[in-house]
Amino acid sequence: MFKRKFNALDFPDPENFNVVDDKMFQSLVLWLEDQKIRHLKIEDREALRNIGTLQWTQAYQDYITELKCPYAAEKRQAVTDWLLGLAVRLEYGDSVDKYKSVTPGKVQQKMNQQPGNSQNPLENLDFDSAEFKAGVTSLAMLLQVPPHPDHLEQLKGICILIQEKFSEEAIETALKNATKKDEHIPLDKTELGFDAGDYIMSEAAKILRLLHIRDLRDMQTKINAAIVAVQSITANPKTDSRLGKVGR
């Protein structure tokens, strides 16, 4: 019953408003006072901000009394409708010229506007349709994303993967790594240094040795880079004559 007034006031999430819910009702009263009615001074609205307390209940009763609301405080539905009507009247009074150009025909045309006329193509998608679910499944298989009973959760996983793997930074890193040539060492020409007693065990030991050597080389490269960075700092000390010290 409040839908039209909610829409006129641009109230957020009017579809889920429940006048019986204490928190929703109290939040609505505070929102109307803060945004539309503005009967109290800002500092005098503190009591209305204490949602969920006995202090709020007393402040609410005093508030509607000051506004000369004709309904008792416990009649929430009637009070809500009256407060919304008051807010609409005040909103209209603040912007008379704006609303003079609004006609019933224009309002009806806007309400009847089809979703297909939206400039955002995502607003026209049916996220629960069989075609959309099939598309998510196909995309997940293509990107090797694990299956999930909720297709929307699976879509979130796909989005995360795309951000991590296909962002500009990730692509640049992949291209840099692709330019590096790996050194291939034939396994049959690798010397193990001992006999494992079994051909398969010997081959596996060779692979582990090569991997260990590669890790050692990577570590040595990082150590060299760290040494160079430290030398670039210590090789050019700055002198502060005021302190009588040499260095940074």
Side-chain angles (χ1 to χ4, degrees):
M1 63 177 293
F2 311 124
K3 185 175 180 180
R4 294 178 63 186
K5 293 178 182 177
F6 276 145
N7 290 336
L9 296 170
D10 293 327
F11 179 72
D13 199 17
E15 299 294 338
N16 296 321
F17 177 76
N18 183 3
V19 72
V20 180
D21 187 282
D22 291 341
K23 187 175 181 180
M24 287 188 179
F25 175 72
Q26 294 173 11
S27 299
L28 171 65
V29 174
L30 176 61
W31 184 84
L32 288 173
E33 170 58 24
D34 271 341
Q35 302 295 327
K36 305 298 179 181
I37 299 176
R38 297 188 287 274
H39 174 74
L40 302 174
K41 295 180 180 178
I42 295 178
E43 57 270 20
D44 294 336
R45 301 174 193 170
E46 281 302 317
L48 288 177
R49 302 189 192 282
N50 296 324
I51 294 174
T53 64
L54 293 176
Q55 184 182 4
W56 187 93
T57 303
Q58 183 60 48
Y60 159 66
Q61 292 177 345
D62 296 340
Y63 177 63
I64 61 174
T65 300
E66 281 193 41
L67 292 177
K68 295 182 172 54
C69 176
Y71 303 103
E74 61 271 14
K75 295 183 178 180
R76 287 189 178 183
Q77 192 164 339
V79 172
T80 299
D81 188 62
W82 187 85
L83 288 175
L84 290 173
L86 174 62
V88 170
R89 290 197 300 273
L90 294 174
E91 185 81 355
Y92 175 79
D94 290 342
S95 307
V96 176
D97 295 335
K98 173 184 175 181
Y99 295 108
K100 274 184 178 180
S101 60
V102 178
T103 62
K106 291 182 179 179
V107 174
Q108 189 64 36
Q109 183 181 2
K110 184 177 180 180
M111 294 178 64
N112 294 336
Q113 186 178 12
Q114 297 297 325
N117 296 331
S118 173
Q119 298 297 322
N120 186 358
L122 294 178
E123 294 181 1
N124 302 324
L125 292 177
D126 182 2
F127 295 99
D128 293 320
S129 65
E131 292 82 0
F132 184 82
K133 292 179 181 179
V136 172
T137 302
S138 300
L139 190 57
M141 293 176 62
L142 180 64
L143 298 175
Q144 298 182 354
V145 175
H148 194 281
D150 188 345
H151 66 287
L152 295 180
E153 290 297 324
Q154 191 176 33
L155 182 59
K156 290 181 182 179
I158 293 173
C159 293
I160 294 173
L161 176 65
I162 292 175
Q163 290 176 350
E164 292 181 349
K165 300 296 184 181
F166 299 100
S167 63
E168 290 185 7
E169 183 179 355
I171 293 175
E172 289 179 1
T173 302
L175 290 175
K176 289 180 181 178
N177 293 334
T179 56
K180 298 179 180 179
K181 295 183 178 180
D182 295 331
E183 183 180 357
H184 296 283
I185 301 177
L187 195 61
D188 57 347
K189 295 182 179 180
T190 301
E191 295 293 335
L192 182 58
F194 62 91
D195 187 7
D198 182 85
Y199 174 76
I200 296 178
M201 293 297 295
S202 297
E203 295 297 298
K206 290 180 181 180
I207 294 174
L208 291 175
R209 184 180 181 185
L210 291 174
L211 291 174
H212 180 62
I213 293 173
R214 186 194 64 179
D215 292 340
L216 290 176
R217 287 179 176 177
D218 290 341
M219 182 181 297
Q220 185 63 51
T221 300
K222 293 178 181 178
I223 292 174
N224 293 339
I227 293 174
V228 171
V230 172
Q231 287 178 343
S232 65
I233 296 175
T234 58
N236 184 25
K238 293 183 178 180
T239 303
D240 192 339
S241 58
R242 294 173 301 175
L243 300 177
K245 295 180 180 180
V246 177
R248 288 183 179 269

